[in-house]
Amino acid sequence: MLTCKEFLTELNAFLDEETDALLRMQLEKHINECPNCWVVVDTCKKTMKVFKGMEPQPIPREVEGRLMEALRRKMEARRTGES
Ligand SMILES: [Zn+2]
């Protein structure tokens, strides 16, 4: 089972479909079990689609940074929010 940190490390490769089959399977398993990372992937995919329609670029660094920040905050809120 991957951790969220490991997942995020592989996120770009996953979105670019550059991961090998085994890693891809593990990443997909993680998405199925982790709503936080699922949201990140879903948002990235939508963002990529939008940007692909306009310019031939992958995820803009700025968008990626914002997503990471949002995820970090969410995870922190979860940690402090739960007893
Ligand atoms: Zn996760």
Side-chain angles (χ1 to χ4, degrees):
M1 175 74 183
L2 290 176
T3 64
C4 291
K5 205 178 155 199
E6 284 167 334
F7 179 85
L8 293 174
T9 306
E10 302 295 340
L11 179 63
N12 274 330
F14 178 73
L15 290 170
D16 289 340
E17 295 180 6
E18 281 170 0
T19 52
D20 60 49
L22 181 68
L23 181 59
R24 189 167 188 84
M25 223 170 68
Q26 288 177 312
L27 294 171
E28 274 168 359
K29 190 166 179 273
H30 185 88
I31 301 169
N32 285 332
E33 291 167 356
C34 178
N36 281 339
C37 291
W38 182 85
V39 168
V40 173
V41 170
D42 191 55
T43 310
C44 284
K45 278 185 177 166
K46 279 177 190 154
T47 309
M48 280 166 79
K49 254 181 223 163
V50 171
F51 274 88
K52 265 181 187 162
M54 295 193 297
E55 9 172 356
Q57 267 182 345
I59 323 173
R61 206 160 279 258
E62 194 207 321
V63 173
E64 194 189 322
R66 259 207 309 264
L67 281 170
M68 295 294 177
E69 186 56 37
L71 182 72
R72 237 195 322 269
R73 237 176 283 151
K74 210 180 231 178
M75 281 164 73
E76 245 151 57
R78 208 174 167 192
R79 206 170 37 224
T80 49
E82 279 172 2
S83 51

